[in-house]
Amino acid sequence: QVQLVESGGGSVQAGGSLRLSCAASGIIPRIIAMGWYRQAPGQGRELVAIKGTDGSTIYADAVKGRFTISRDNAKKTVDLQMNMLQPEDTGVYYCLLADARNYWGQGTQVTVSS
């Protein structure tokens, strides 16, 4: 059974930084991609950043230049370094692992105050 465990959320003031980490466990024959989504209060879940096993990377326009995604394929981990955080970055951040299906973490709260 695949499990994703996230860590690193918290509360910061605008302009601050946080680093999110996600570690996958279980038998995963072929990971296609790992990444992060977020959900703000009253909003739908949206892509933040995702990195394919082939090295391809996609960032949401809202986070380009501020967030950096990194993966360790051997360890099955994905991190998200978030700099210059803004109040609009507030939300629950979910780790995603995609192989034949999508697996989601439990979510970690990020709160940015002005």
Side-chain angles (χ1 to χ4, degrees):
Q1 184 175 355
V2 176
Q3 288 189 322
L4 301 177
V5 178
E6 300 143 337
S7 60
S11 297
V12 295
Q13 290 189 325
S17 298
L18 285 173
R19 187 176 183 89
L20 305 182
S21 296
C22 174
S25 62
I27 299 173
I28 312 168
R30 180 173 172 265
I31 299 175
I32 297 172
M34 294 184 74
W36 293 91
Y37 280 66
R38 68 186 179 189
Q39 187 165 16
Q43 304 286 327
R45 196 172 295 190
E46 64 176 6
L47 171 71
V48 176
I50 193 164
K51 192 169 184 70
T53 301
D54 63 359
S56 59
T57 304
I58 298 174
Y59 289 97
D61 287 343
V63 308
K64 285 180 180 176
R66 301 188 297 122
F67 291 11
T68 303
I69 188 171
S70 58
R71 276 185 59 184
D72 186 321
N73 293 338
K75 294 181 178 179
K76 296 181 288 186
T77 60
V78 61
D79 292 346
L80 186 68
Q81 177 65 42
M82 305 186 293
N83 298 328
M84 296 183 288
L85 283 160
Q86 300 300 317
E88 51 266 33
D89 295 317
T90 293
V92 179
Y93 283 67
Y94 296 91
C95 176
L96 165 73
L97 183 152
D99 64 354
R101 52 159 287 187
N102 291 338
Y103 298 92
W104 295 93
Q106 78 282 1
T108 185
Q109 177 70 43
V110 171
T111 302
V112 185
S113 58
S114 58

